[in-house]
Amino acid sequence: MKLRLWGHEDRYAVEQLQLALFPGERMEPVEEPFTGDGAVSALHRGEQWLTAVTTVTLGGKTTRAVRRLRRTEETVRLRRRLLQQSYYFAALPHLPGPPA
């Protein structure tokens, strides 16, 4: 499964979650836009908000999740959590059930 990061370099946090949620899929980091199955994890820095947007496409079905955090509250830990939450909620509809 392809993974493209856009607007951030927190690869480890997102890759580990992708590997845990989709253990049967081979991880393939990409730098350019792609077609087919994969995920795009994006981070946007606005004046007031830090916004994480993840789009997951699997088997022709595409889902998207957005999570936000005030920029004044940003820490490395909270930014990574924000990215993981957006990935998790975008991936959830592709799973047979919620993970344990």
Side-chain angles (χ1 to χ4, degrees), residues 36-38 56-63 94:
D37 291 349
V56 176
T57 302
L58 195 57
K61 179 181 176 184
T62 301
T63 55
H94 297 280

Side-chain angles (χ1 to χ4, degrees), residues 30-48:
V30 295
E31 299 293 325
E32 299 297 322
F34 60 88
T35 58
D37 291 349
V40 177
S41 172
L43 186 68
H44 306 279
R45 294 178 179 278
E47 288 184 26
Q48 295 182 2

